[in-house]
Amino acid sequence: MRNQFLAILVAATAIVSSAAGASRPNEPHSSGAAPFVPPAVSYTESMTEDDAARLQQERVAACVVKARRGMVLKALQRDPWEPAARHMLENALDAKCLDNIQMVMPPDLLRGAYYQELYRERFGARAPALAPAPIDFRGKPGGKMTKDATVEIALREFGDCVVRRDLSDAQALILSLPGDPQETDALAALMPQFNACLVRGSQWTLDRGLISAILSEVVYREAVASNGEAPN
C-alpha cells in the first residue's frame, strides 16, 4: 500500500470529490500546544513525488491559514458543491505562501488541507472528545440536493463513521506526514473501519490525500460542535 492508491470498491459508481459542510469552523481557540509545522520539503529515496507534493501542499496550507485565516474560515463556510466554493478557496491563497512554486491543488484537497491545519493547531496535542450524536452534514436547509451534493454528504457521513469507530488512528493519520511510516500504519489500522463504514451500493476510490482531507474535516467539525460552538 506504500505507493499505491487505497481503493475502496463496492457495487455502484460514485466518484469521491471533496469534503466540507454543516458545522463550520470557528476561529480556533488556543490549546496551548505549539502549531504543527511540517518540516521543509526534501526528497529522500523513500519519498515519492506524490508524497513530496502533498508535503508541499501542507506547508502552503499552514502558511495561508496563518496569513489569511479570516478568508480561509469564510471559504470553509460554503458547501463544496456551491458554485462560489471553488472560487473562494482559490482566492484565499496568498502568493507569498506559494514562494514561486507552481502548484495545482484541487479544491477538495485544498479544503482538506486547511481543515487539517486547523485541526493540528487546535487538537495536535490531544484528540478531542466527540458528542454522542453526529452533526448534520447535509448543508444549508433548503439547498438544492444535486448529485454532487449527495455524493459529498455520503462521503462525510462515511468519514464520521470511521472517526467514531477509531478516533485514535484517525488522529494519527491526520498528524502524520505524507509517506511517513506513521501514515502507512494508521491507514492499515483504519482499514477495518473503512470496510465497516462503506455505504452499500457505492463505489469510492480514495487516495491517501483525500482520505486525510475527509477525516481532517469531519473530526475537526465534530470536535468544534462537541464544544458547543455554533457555526459561523
Side-chain angles (χ1 to χ4, degrees):
M1 195 170 74
R2 173 69 182 80
N3 296 321
Q4 298 177 343
F5 282 87
L6 174 64
I8 303 175
L9 305 176
V10 208
T13 299
I15 301 301
V16 169
S17 58
S18 72
S23 182
R24 304 303 201 285
N26 291 316
E27 181 71 24
H29 307 300
S30 174
S31 64
F36 181 100
V37 180
V41 174
S42 60
Y43 285 91
T44 66
E45 291 183 1
S46 62
M47 180 176 282
T48 67
E49 289 187 9
D50 178 68
D51 293 338
R54 288 193 294 131
L55 186 55
Q56 184 67 67
Q57 290 165 1
E58 289 184 5
R59 293 190 62 81
V60 169
C63 176
V64 174
V65 167
K66 181 178 180 180
R68 295 185 170 181
R69 182 178 297 272
M71 292 182 69
V72 169
L73 294 174
K74 188 174 181 180
L76 295 179
Q77 292 291 308
R78 295 281 187 171
D79 292 314
W81 55 86
E82 292 184 60
R86 177 189 295 265
H87 182 68
M88 293 179 69
L89 285 168
E90 292 174 344
N91 278 355
L93 281 172
D94 189 327
K96 290 180 290 186
C97 294
L98 296 176
D99 195 25
N100 297 320
I101 65 171
Q102 296 296 317
M103 186 179 73
V104 178
M105 194 171 183
D108 55 331
L109 296 185
L110 191 58
R111 180 185 298 273
Y114 290 148
Y115 270 113
Q116 186 174 36
E117 175 58 23
L118 290 171
Y119 183 89
R120 287 170 167 177
E121 280 186 355
R122 189 167 181 180
F123 304 111
R126 184 174 61 182
L130 304 184
I135 60 176
D136 188 348
F137 291 95
R138 291 175 294 179
K140 298 180 178 66
K144 185 178 180 181
M145 192 57 60
T146 63
K147 182 178 180 180
D148 284 347
T150 300
V151 171
E152 291 173 356
I153 290 167
L155 178 59
R156 283 173 281 179
E157 290 174 343
F158 162 79
D160 184 80
C161 173
V162 171
V163 301
R164 287 179 177 278
R165 291 175 65 95
D166 189 351
L167 180 57
S168 177
D169 286 311
Q171 164 97 347
L173 179 63
I174 294 169
L175 299 183
S176 66
L177 298 177
D180 191 87
Q182 182 185 5
E183 181 185 58
T184 299
D185 291 345
L187 284 168
L190 287 168
M191 186 64 72
Q193 318 316 329
F194 296 151
N195 293 331
C197 293
L198 283 170
V199 177
R200 185 179 298 275
S202 299
Q203 176 177 307
W204 294 335
T205 302
L206 311 177
D207 65 17
R208 291 177 175 224
L210 190 50
I211 290 172
S212 292
I214 295 163
L215 299 190
S216 294
E217 179 195 351
V218 167
V219 74
Y220 181 85
R221 290 174 55 199
E222 286 283 14
V224 168
S226 297
N227 287 338
E229 300 172 27
N232 287 339

